Amino acid sequence: MFEINVPCTDGIHREKVYSIDDFPYFRCLFLDVIRTHKKKSYIAIPGTFDIETTTIIPEDKTERPYAFCYQWQFCLNGWVVFGRRLEEFTEFLDRLSEAMHLTEERKLIIYVHNLPYEFSFLRSFLRIQHVFCLDKRKVVRMEAQEGKFEFRCSYALSNMTLKKFCENSEGVIHAKLSGDDFNYDKIRTPETELSEEELAYCFNDVKGLEECLMDLLKTDTVKTIPMTSTGYVRRDFRNSMRENRRNRELFTATKLDAELFNLLHDAFRGGDTHGNIYHSNVTLENVGSRDIASSYPFQLMVRKFPMGKFTKVSPEWLHEHEAVRRNYAYVFRVYLEDFQYIGTCGNPYIPISKLRNRKKVINDNGRALAGSGTIAVTDIDWKIISHEYTWKRILITDLYISKYGDLPEEFKSQVMKYYTDKTFLKGIADKVYEYMKSKNKLNSSYGMTVTNPAKPDIEYDESTGEFSDQKIPEGETELEFIQELLDKFYKSKNSFLPYQWGVWCTCHARMQLREMLWKIGEYNVYEDTDSIKFLEPDLINPLFEEKNKELQKLAEEYGAVAEDRKGRKLYMGQWDNDGAYTRFKTLGAKKYLYEDETGYHATIAGVNKKVGSAYFQEHGFEAFKNGTELKNSGHLVAYYNDDLELKEIEVNGCKILNGANTALVNGSYTIGLTGEYLDLFEKALRKEALVFLE
């Protein structure tokens, strides 16, 4: 055991650090235990774990980069232990297990703040079982050492970086220390002497995480704490919905079969993001920006949703009078032959990724300007497509209808609780913690509605280290397999949200965005989910204010309004002023640069915002173009080395036992545009009609 000086939020603390030989194992036996109704028990407080690694990039470019652990740290009940080799961690867990009398029925939970990464190293050293993934390699839970230890991902739990998790938790004094001076590129081995500053950095990573978790355990136990951040929100809504037993009846009555689910899943789309080709690849001046306040929660509060069982009807039903159709939500597949975009806002609505059996499609950065193909749409999508496209011929199939209605009051009351708390707490200096919790929960209220109820499990083979999709049982069709997953979903007492609500929520949000795009027309520059950037702010801003009056009345009617601490009313769904830009340039979806009074701001998918902004602050708007390379993009490229076999390697004279690992390499990023898209730029500059491009 030794002591180090550790920077904390309240000054320097002198902290003890144990080795695996002098760790107080005997004291761990007296920690409280929580029992479950299944005769299982958990140690009442969790452990925390973290590793530090070095990545080696071979000079021979034909060889893959690889990584190894040179330091690990573990914390339990405030006791922090350091080790330099992962085989020592295996020994430590075995000693801890023996001292605490752990079994498969008496577990210790260990949180890791990026479990997928640590898992990639640990699986060669620990005896892994029962791996649960949200996606391939996205491990959120696993058991080890015959089930005596259950590792969980605290990033999935918090949906925040460790730095943010510490900042947004009460009682944390061992905050995440800055890694700016850590120099992650330095080659360190288990024999490299670490400075006191480096050791303090390691110490706070596990001690600070423990303090975050202890904050959560004020209102939960290790047994009841959710696996992911959305779990908190799901639990609140589930409890609220259970206040009215008719909600369960509604849920089961609106059950989807596999065929209808596939249709709805094909129709589901997220946010609408696109750059107007006529204003792309040029530097614009005096650009305004507006965004929708709490867009998705607003749709959940004020819009209509399919509230009855879907019924399959003949396509002839669409010829019914509008007064009948508008009372129904409907979804169908439509084949469009020789369609052409005729809109004025420069944002073609049909996504090529959703277009099946497509032919002769003209691609505008992922959107179809013209062509032929089949697409699944809702009634809202169809209104937009009918407004913005012409076609030669259509063929409609697989038409399902459901009566429109309001979401249950119990559901909407929970949305408003989050919004009211967020609104009242905003700007109060000593309520930042509560404000962030309410804000995060409000933002997650939509996310839970689009959880795929028929998503197959991700399976992990402990013997080979391979991830794979759950296999369809022999003798079953894919449709039968999906039906089994759906039946399991609807049978579960924990399920309460019809999948179709999430599908229509994003539809309504796209329609609110689209309605303003139609008003703005050719002044539109760029839009992303709930925001629009536009030319001539003095001319266009009054249009937003006019729309806001209409939206205020809607918010008042449905109770989507709350008061802040000064008694001012804040409305969901308003088009808030998001600033003014002296200069703006876009190169398509998720690629734009703007300058305001605070400097340059770059948003490029695959590039760290801070890094990208600093680069263009130095090199100017002229550098924001096709072919520009950012050698250090702030984006890490992962090289997965999945061989589980332990082998001895030697680095700088140090022999290291190493197995499976993940090497993270700073990646460069080159702004790239396809020749097809560049061709559209040229034609747009010549003001040619894009719909007639061939």
Side-chain angles (χ1 to χ4, degrees):
M1 190 269 290
F2 61 96
E3 294 185 353
I4 58 173
N5 290 320
V6 176
C8 296
T9 59
D10 59 353
I12 301 295
H13 286 214
R14 191 70 177 167
E15 302 283 10
K16 293 180 180 179
V17 177
Y18 296 92
S19 72
I20 69 170
D21 293 321
D22 55 27
F23 186 79
Y25 298 100
F26 69 96
R27 296 172 66 183
C28 298
L29 181 60
F30 302 103
L31 297 176
D32 290 340
V33 174
I34 294 176
R35 303 191 182 280
T36 72
H37 65 281
K38 296 180 180 179
K39 296 183 178 180
K40 291 187 177 182
S41 60
Y42 295 95
I43 306 303
I45 59 173
T48 58
F49 176 72
D50 181 47
I51 67 173
E52 308 299 335
T53 63
T54 287
T55 291
I56 301 296
I57 304 176
E59 292 184 6
D60 185 347
K61 299 304 180 184
T62 63
E63 297 182 15
R64 290 176 62 82
Y66 64 92
F68 57 85
C69 170
Y70 67 83
Q71 161 80 13
W72 60 265
Q73 43 271 348
F74 175 89
C75 179
L76 178 63
N77 198 38
W79 306 313
V80 175
V81 55
F82 282 179
R84 303 303 300 267
R85 300 174 184 270
L86 284 179
E87 57 267 34
E88 293 174 341
F89 183 61
T90 304
E91 181 182 350
F92 172 72
L93 289 185
D94 289 340
R95 290 192 193 184
L96 192 62
S97 169
E98 183 178 356
M100 299 180 72
H101 299 170
L102 299 180
T103 67
E104 190 175 3
E105 285 73 38
R106 177 186 164 94
K107 301 177 187 290
L108 173 66
I109 293 172
I110 301 173
Y111 278 94
V112 185
H113 205 73
N114 188 2
L115 183 57
Y117 183 69
E118 267 78 357
F119 171 81
S120 68
F121 292 82
L122 291 176
R123 55 189 171 148
S124 287
F125 289 87
L126 302 184
R127 303 181 292 279
I128 303 293
Q129 309 90 29
H130 306 138
V131 176
F132 176 70
C133 306
L134 295 179
D135 209 336
K136 288 181 180 178
R137 300 189 184 276
K138 197 173 182 179
V139 179
V140 294
R141 185 180 67 226
M142 72 170 190
E143 292 184 359
Q145 313 310 81
E146 294 73 46
K148 299 170 186 174
F149 299 94
E150 182 179 306
F151 288 77
R152 295 181 184 177
C153 182
S154 51
Y155 179 80
L157 171 64
S158 64
N159 196 29
M160 288 181 274
T161 64
L162 182 55
K163 181 177 184 294
K164 286 294 183 183
F165 196 14
C166 289
E167 290 173 353
N168 293 315
S169 299
E170 286 187 319
V172 175
I173 62 172
H174 292 81
K176 172 76 175 175
L177 297 179
S178 172
D180 292 344
D181 300 325
F182 196 83
N183 188 7
Y184 289 98
D185 295 331
K186 179 180 177 180
I187 296 178
R188 300 178 178 89
T189 74
E191 295 179 356
T192 301
E193 183 177 350
L194 301 181
S195 68
E196 188 170 45
E197 290 76 14
E198 291 170 327
L199 294 175
Y201 179 90
C202 298
F203 186 97
N204 276 17
D205 274 2
V206 288
K207 180 60 178 170
L209 178 56
E210 181 190 60
E211 291 169 346
C212 293
L213 295 167
M214 296 310 292
D215 180 43
L216 296 181
L217 292 178
K218 293 174 185 175
T219 54
D220 263 299
T221 69
V222 291
K223 184 182 78 169
T224 62
I225 199 167
M227 201 60 57
T228 66
S229 58
T230 308
Y232 287 104
V233 176
R234 192 179 299 277
R235 184 171 63 188
D236 288 345
F237 275 90
R238 184 187 298 115
N239 291 337
S240 183
M241 293 283 278
R242 282 175 175 170
E243 294 174 3
N244 185 344
R245 65 182 183 183
R246 284 180 295 180
N247 290 328
R248 180 67 189 181
E249 296 170 1
L250 171 66
F251 174 71
T252 55
T254 56
K255 179 179 179 181
L256 307 174
D257 61 26
E259 182 178 323
L260 177 55
F261 168 77
N262 281 344
L263 175 59
L264 287 168
H265 193 55
D266 286 346
F268 171 70
R269 288 173 56 183
D272 201 351
T273 305
H274 198 72
N276 185 343
I277 190 68
Y278 284 110
H279 298 308
S280 297
N281 202 26
V282 292
T283 299
L284 306 169
E285 296 183 354
N286 190 24
V287 172
S289 180
R290 291 269 184 157
D291 65 3
I292 305 171
S294 303
S295 176
Y296 286 149
F298 178 66
Q299 315 308 325
L300 295 171
M301 287 296 298
V302 308
R303 307 299 184 188
K304 305 294 183 183
F305 290 82
M307 299 300 290
K309 184 177 179 62
F310 274 95
T311 303
K312 192 171 186 178
V313 297
S314 166
E316 299 299 321
W317 180 88
L318 288 175
H319 294 303
E320 295 285 344
H321 194 273
E322 170 64 20
V324 175
R325 291 206 320 267
R326 68 186 179 190
N327 295 319
Y328 286 86
Y330 46 93
V331 59
F332 57 90
R333 287 191 175 88
V334 57
Y335 171 73
L336 298 168
E337 182 178 328
D338 292 340
F339 63 80
Q340 287 197 344
Y341 174 68
I342 58 171
T344 61
C345 66
N347 181 0
Y349 187 74
I350 296 176
I352 292 176
S353 62
K354 290 286 186 177
L355 200 59
R356 308 291 181 246
N357 306 313
R358 53 184 181 263
K359 297 179 181 177
K360 298 181 179 178
V361 172
I362 298 177
N363 183 354
D364 176 2
N365 199 212
R367 301 298 179 84
L369 283 164
S372 299
T374 301
I375 188 171
V377 296
T378 68
D379 54 297
I380 299 171
D381 294 318
W382 186 238
K383 288 175 184 175
I384 297 172
I385 291 173
S386 299
H387 185 85
E388 297 194 347
Y389 288 85
T390 61
W391 49 80
K392 179 180 178 181
R393 184 172 67 94
I394 66 170
L395 176 64
I396 293 174
T397 59
D398 303 325
L399 173 61
Y400 289 81
I401 66 173
S402 171
K403 203 72 180 288
Y404 262 136
D406 294 329
L407 293 181
E409 285 304 316
E410 294 78 15
F411 183 93
K412 295 202 286 188
S413 68
Q414 191 61 51
V415 175
M416 279 310 298
K417 181 182 184 306
Y418 292 158
Y419 183 68
T420 300
D421 289 348
K422 167 183 173 286
T423 301
F424 186 78
L425 296 168
K426 186 174 183 179
I428 302 178
D430 60 348
K431 295 293 183 181
V432 174
Y433 168 71
E434 291 87 350
Y435 168 75
M436 288 304 301
K437 286 187 72 172
S438 296
K439 180 181 178 181
N440 292 335
K441 285 183 176 182
L442 179 66
N443 292 338
S444 296
S445 60
Y446 151 73
M448 66 175 180
T449 67
V450 290
T451 301
N452 183 348
K455 183 180 179 181
D457 291 337
I458 302 297
E459 297 178 338
Y460 176 73
D461 189 325
E462 290 91 350
S463 62
T464 64
E466 294 180 350
F467 295 88
S468 61
D469 291 323
Q470 183 182 358
K471 294 181 176 59
I472 298 175
E474 189 174 346
E476 284 189 14
T477 65
E478 182 179 2
L479 208 61
E480 290 171 334
F481 179 54
I482 291 175
Q483 189 62 58
E484 284 184 8
L485 296 174
L486 289 171
D487 290 342
K488 181 180 178 181
F489 169 72
Y490 286 106
K491 185 178 179 181
S492 172
K493 295 298 183 182
N494 287 327
S495 301
F496 66 98
L497 281 175
Y499 175 71
Q500 48 268 41
W501 291 357
V503 176
W504 259 261
C505 180
T506 57
C507 280
H508 286 306
R510 290 194 300 274
M511 176 57 90
Q512 181 172 346
L513 187 83
R514 190 63 48 167
E515 286 174 343
M516 283 310 301
L517 291 177
W518 292 340
K519 286 180 178 291
I520 294 171
E522 62 185 15
Y523 294 99
N524 169 56
V525 171
Y526 183 90
E527 61 280 341
D528 186 349
T529 307
D530 61 356
S531 67
I532 299 177
K533 306 186 190 305
F534 48 90
L535 299 173
E536 301 293 341
D538 291 342
L539 176 67
I540 300 302
N541 275 321
L543 299 178
F544 282 101
E545 294 306 324
E546 181 182 346
K547 184 66 176 179
N548 278 343
K549 293 177 183 178
E550 176 187 325
L551 293 169
Q552 281 183 16
K553 292 179 181 179
L554 190 61
E556 289 276 13
E557 179 183 352
Y558 285 91
V561 56
E563 291 187 356
D564 66 11
R565 68 187 188 282
K566 295 182 179 180
R568 295 173 299 192
K569 287 186 176 181
L570 295 181
Y571 299 86
M572 281 188 187
Q574 292 284 283
W575 283 99
D576 289 341
N577 198 325
D578 193 36
Y581 311 144
T582 54
R583 290 190 293 174
F584 179 92
K585 183 178 182 180
T586 180
L587 297 174
K590 301 298 183 182
K591 290 188 183 79
Y592 64 85
L593 173 69
Y594 69 86
E595 181 186 16
D596 62 13
E597 59 185 9
T598 64
Y600 282 45
H601 306 271
T603 294
I604 307 172
V607 176
N608 177 276
K609 283 193 175 185
K610 185 177 179 181
V611 171
S613 299
Y615 178 88
F616 292 106
Q617 184 79 47
E618 179 182 353
H619 295 88
F621 267 72
E622 298 75 17
F624 189 65
K625 61 182 180 180
N626 185 44
T628 293
E629 181 184 11
L630 284 73
K631 294 189 180 297
N632 179 13
S633 67
H635 174 70
L636 296 175
V637 179
Y639 292 84
Y640 299 107
N641 301 301
D642 294 328
D643 186 356
L644 297 179
E645 183 182 353
L646 289 172
K647 300 174 183 177
E648 189 175 76
I649 62 174
E650 185 171 334
V651 178
N652 290 350
C654 177
K655 293 182 179 180
I656 306 163
L657 197 60
N658 202 34
N661 61 83
T662 299
L664 299 178
V665 178
N666 286 320
S668 64
Y669 179 91
T670 300
I671 298 176
L673 304 173
T674 65
E676 184 179 26
Y677 197 41
L678 288 170
D679 187 49
L680 284 183
F681 280 150
E682 291 301 314
K683 289 182 168 62
L685 286 173
R686 295 196 297 269
K687 304 299 182 184
E688 294 184 17
L690 299 181
V691 294
F692 298 118
L693 291 174
E694 294 181 357

